[in-house]
Amino acid sequence: VARRHIDYHMQQFGYDKPNVEFVEGYIERLGEAGLQNGSYDIIISNCVVCLSPDKKAVFKEAFRVLKPGGEMYFSDMYADRPVPQELKTNTVLWGEGIAGALDWRELMQLATEVGFAPPVLVKSTIYASEDPVIKNLRATAGGIRFCSATYRLFKPDDDSAAPSSRDPLMEVQYKGTIKGYEKGVPFSYHGPIPAGCSVVMPASVANLLLESRFAPHFTIKALPACKEAKPICSGIKDFLSVDPFEASSASSSATSDACCS
């Protein structure tokens, strides 16, 4: 169906040749669809990882096809505890993205196991469905909660992005050179990085920027002990292990009846 409409959209938007390609395959086996190692700058996904029965395979394949410095930018459903096995066999709830939701802490583990730097939370929203089936599910599962959360997973060049309890602080300055984001660029749940201002990040996090496609837009250097700068976070734990449910509660848009947003 998608391929059938390529010519139409080329004409509508004035392209001489297609700027997209549609391939069919399974997200757990991207190689079978012809996706080569280290070929892509970014993977964008919206609420499909929760539908896969083998989530580690999904992340392994995403890591494989990304270039060093590339990222997986994706929204998905998460639970605040492991989903009971009896609920995972409910095909309706699985199709809704609920029964297959990861405990958000499992994401932290799976992502780093396959080689990604620790996940960076961008935003999260509590899933507050009024559907009686979902409300009954929560009641029978001990009050289990679900949220939609957007994360960034960066593929580092080496182990320099691995967190450390002795992670030094770095001074990061955004040059204001990304079109449409001249005043500041969104990066994480902690807020945008403003142009022309110094912010403090753990070196492990700053290295994510340094090794990514955003590198030309930033100046990153060691933070002198006497230098004052606006901290974007208070430490590695605060930056890399944000509880999406706590983040939702602190947000002005804390709840939604949408599956992924």
Side-chain angles (χ1 to χ4, degrees):
V1 174
R3 292 177 185 142
R4 202 161 59 226
H5 293 87
I6 288 179
D7 288 343
Y8 169 81
H9 286 286
M10 283 171 53
Q11 295 170 8
Q12 292 297 309
F13 294 97
Y15 285 93
D16 295 325
K17 58 182 181 179
N19 68 336
V20 296
E21 180 182 358
F22 295 99
V23 297
E24 183 178 1
Y26 292 94
I27 56 176
E28 301 92 346
R29 304 195 299 272
L30 297 178
E32 294 178 5
L35 278 64
Q36 302 299 312
N37 294 355
S39 300
Y40 301 94
D41 293 303
I42 186 168
I43 294 171
I44 298 173
S45 168
N46 185 32
C47 212
V48 294
V49 178
C50 58
L51 302 177
S52 172
D54 189 351
K55 295 170 177 57
K56 186 170 185 178
V58 173
F59 292 122
K60 285 181 70 174
E61 280 293 88
F63 186 87
R64 179 183 65 80
V65 303
L66 282 170
K67 297 176 183 178
E71 73 168 300
M72 181 174 176
Y73 188 101
F74 70 113
S75 295
D76 219 76
M77 295 296 292
Y78 297 94
D80 67 349
R81 67 199 73 177
V83 176
Q85 188 60 40
E86 60 268 24
L87 297 182
K88 292 184 178 182
T89 59
N90 186 312
T91 56
V92 174
L93 294 178
W94 190 278
E96 292 293 322
I98 298 298
L102 280 174
D103 178 334
W104 69 272
R105 287 162 287 248
E106 290 181 85
L107 171 65
M108 307 293 126
Q109 178 181 342
L110 288 176
T112 53
E113 279 182 3
V114 304
F116 283 110
V120 174
L121 178 67
V122 177
K123 65 177 181 177
S124 59
T125 307
I126 297 292
Y127 180 50
S129 174
E130 293 301 315
D131 187 313
V133 175
I134 303 299
K135 295 178 76 172
N136 182 62
L137 179 156
R138 293 192 62 234
T140 57
I144 189 171
R145 295 186 298 160
F146 298 93
C147 76
S148 166
T150 301
Y151 281 97
R152 311 180 78 154
L153 295 180
F154 287 91
K155 179 177 180 176
D157 271 322
D158 49 38
D159 294 332
S160 60
S164 163
S165 60
R166 296 181 293 176
D167 206 5
L169 295 178
M170 303 292 284
E171 180 180 353
V172 177
Q173 287 189 335
Y174 169 52
K175 300 176 183 178
T177 50
I178 298 177
K179 186 177 180 180
Y181 296 94
E182 288 79 6
K183 294 184 178 179
V185 61
F187 180 63
S188 75
Y189 158 75
H190 296 278
I193 302 175
C197 297
S198 294
V199 296
V200 176
M201 291 184 183
S204 57
V205 180
N207 280 336
L208 300 181
L209 290 172
L210 192 62
E211 296 179 351
S212 76
R213 66 192 189 284
F214 301 112
H217 304 285
F218 288 88
T219 300
I220 300 173
K221 57 186 179 182
L223 181 71
C226 60
K227 176 77 172 181
E228 289 188 5
K230 178 184 177 182
I232 196 169
C233 62
S234 58
I236 306 164
K237 181 178 185 298
D238 293 335
F239 205 104
L240 299 176
S241 302
V242 177
D243 181 333
F245 291 89
E246 292 183 3
S248 291
S249 299
S251 170
S252 58
S253 56
T255 61
S256 171
D257 59 1
C259 173
C260 280
S261 56

